[in-house]
Amino acid sequence: MRKIGILTGGGDAPGLNAVIRGVVEVCAKNDIQVFGLKAGWRGAIRGEGRWLTLDDVDGIQMVGGTILNSSRTNVMKEENGPENVRASMEKLGLEGIVAIGGDDTLGVADKLTKMGMPMVGVPKTIDNDLSCTDFTFGFDTASNITMDCLERLHTTAKSHMRIMVVEIMGRHTGWIAYQAGLAGNAHMVLVPEFPKTVDEIVSVIDRRTKAGKEYTVIAVAEGFTLEGMNDSDLPRDSFGNVDMTKKAIGETLARVLEERTGQESRHVVLGHVQRGGAPSAFDRVLGLRLGIKAGQLVVEKDYGNMVALKGTDIVKADLSKAVSERKEVAKDLYEAIELLCNK
Ligand code: F6P
């Protein structure tokens, strides 16, 4: 009987379980057994996990997180990492692995593919920063949660006539801040792709104050940088990613704005709330469809690729290309921010 592995790596994203279900269903139909590797690449290195049955995946598209657990283990940084993955695959009899993850997890999948270990990649991240796919699952849910929070923060900011700075996940891109900021009517949306100076931010608040608007809600992406800020001393994970919570842009910006404007300011870090809980309908269905396509590629032994959303279609995409380019908020999209916010 044919056998494959499946793993989820990096930060969890709502919709992961939907992908797992899609893969397991297609594989079961084609007499392929699926081994769920525990906690991302760590499970692949150690050969840890369990065989998945149809009962294990029944209805799991409704559930957030990942039934397989996740970690940020980087195979390339572990002693004999690739050799141990190969040994686990041989021991378990796995012909290939479906790796569900963001640029870090898929970057490893790409390298292992080139070392002769067959992989299929499935793009995942709430940050939506992977290229070669229109959207990543998790982004829609995270944007909806963030939109709800922004909406709630309006009433308290207005009651207290405050500046409310809301720090939003997204690492080096501002996709969630963009989507939730527009939908949740933030007065300013600050994203790393389009830097602004403190003077420019203050001038927007001053204009609002002169117009009789007594409060301001600012959606700031965690990767946004003020002049003079430097990431180089911040702690990093095994993939070299900065711990954005230590950067603390929300806290810094709120303090600077209170000093500059004299208006009482508060900051809120939404943090992991943005990734928690049940996926949206969009992410459930996107996850299921990506999983089904990944399962089909396995059936056809069409390894070395990624699955992706293009328009309304689920297609096969170039794994190497996807992990080598970051998808950023483009100028034409950002124009909506300049028209409706930041003024
Ligand atoms: O990449 C997804 C993400 O949620 C980022 O938006 C965030 O910066 C990071 O993961 C947080 O990582 P961790 O879960 O390791 O704290």
Side-chain angles (χ1 to χ4, degrees):
M1 193 177 197
R2 292 178 61 193
K3 295 172 185 159
I4 61 148
I6 187 168
L7 62 83
T8 54
D12 68 326
L16 278 169
N17 286 328
V19 179
I20 296 167
R21 181 171 186 193
V23 172
V24 171
E25 294 273 355
V26 172
C27 286
K29 212 170 173 183
N30 290 276
D31 293 322
I32 301 171
Q33 276 188 315
V34 181
F35 188 82
L37 293 153
K38 186 174 172 64
W41 291 116
R42 193 169 83 196
I45 288 171
R46 297 181 186 172
E48 280 175 0
R50 65 195 158 111
W51 294 102
L52 296 173
T53 66
L54 284 174
D55 277 349
D56 290 328
V57 300
D58 187 16
I60 61 170
Q61 73 269 29
M62 298 187 285
V63 185
T66 161
I67 62 164
L68 299 178
N69 300 110
S70 192
S71 73
R72 292 197 187 277
T73 303
N74 183 350
V75 175
M76 303 302 157
K77 290 278 167 65
E78 299 286 317
E79 205 182 331
N80 300 323
E83 293 75 14
N84 286 333
V85 173
R86 197 189 298 276
S88 300
M89 290 175 74
E90 277 168 14
K91 188 181 84 184
L92 293 161
L94 310 179
E95 65 175 54
I97 293 177
V98 174
I100 314 168
D103 51 351
D104 295 334
T105 305
L106 297 186
V108 170
D110 185 42
K111 290 194 181 93
L112 295 180
T113 295
K114 288 173 179 146
M115 294 168 131
M117 286 169 255
M119 302 280 155
V120 173
V122 181
K124 163 245 60 164
T125 169
I126 63 164
D127 302 339
N128 196 40
D129 60 353
L130 268 168
S131 52
C132 302
T133 188
D134 288 354
F135 289 102
T136 49
F137 67 84
F139 168 65
D140 183 63
T141 309
S143 299
N144 285 327
I145 295 169
T146 307
M147 175 191 75
D148 286 346
C149 293
L150 286 170
E151 226 172 284
R152 287 181 178 279
L153 289 165
H154 269 272
T155 57
T156 174
K158 189 171 186 182
S159 302
H160 288 267
M161 297 163 291
R162 283 173 173 159
I163 298 169
M164 187 65 75
V165 179
V166 189
E167 183 179 309
I168 295 169
M169 277 187 171
R171 206 156 255 160
H172 302 291
T173 62
W175 285 105
I176 308 173
Y178 175 88
Q179 187 85 345
L182 277 177
N185 198 40
H187 304 117
M188 292 200 76
V189 178
L190 302 173
V191 296
E193 292 89 335
F194 297 94
K196 284 209 179 287
T197 62
V198 172
D199 283 347
E200 285 169 327
I201 300 168
V202 168
S203 72
V204 172
I205 296 168
D206 284 346
R207 272 199 296 281
R208 286 179 57 77
T209 306
K210 283 194 190 102
K213 294 176 177 158
E214 295 178 308
Y215 78 107
T216 298
V217 174
I218 302 179
V220 61
E222 61 183 3
F224 183 80
T225 300
L226 288 172
E227 60 263 39
M229 278 178 106
N230 186 355
D231 286 0
S232 58
D233 292 338
L234 296 173
R236 287 167 193 269
D237 67 17
S238 66
F239 286 94
N241 298 308
V242 166
D243 178 350
M244 290 291 180
T245 54
K246 303 287 185 306
K247 178 172 177 175
I249 181 66
E251 185 180 0
T252 307
L253 185 58
R255 193 185 59 244
V256 168
L257 292 180
E258 185 166 292
E259 281 164 13
R260 285 285 303 269
T261 63
Q263 186 172 2
E264 204 173 28
S265 304
R266 293 286 186 272
H267 75 278
V268 178
V269 181
L270 296 182
H272 297 81
V273 164
Q274 292 163 105
R275 305 203 308 230
S280 65
F282 182 87
D283 283 336
R284 291 180 199 195
V285 176
L286 177 57
L288 287 169
R289 292 182 68 209
L290 288 169
I292 290 168
K293 181 74 178 177
Q296 287 164 350
L297 293 184
V298 167
V299 171
E300 292 154 17
K301 297 195 178 177
D302 195 352
Y303 290 108
N305 301 296
M306 189 181 87
V307 292
L309 176 70
K310 278 280 161 212
T312 54
D313 295 332
I314 303 292
V315 298
K316 189 168 85 174
D318 188 327
L319 180 58
S320 301
K321 188 159 180 258
V323 296
S324 60
E325 285 167 23
R326 184 185 293 150
K327 186 176 69 187
E328 301 189 330
V329 175
K331 180 96 183 76
D332 57 336
L333 290 177
Y334 186 70
E335 275 164 15
I337 298 287
E338 293 290 302
L339 179 72
L340 302 170
C341 325
N342 297 3
K343 59 177 185 178

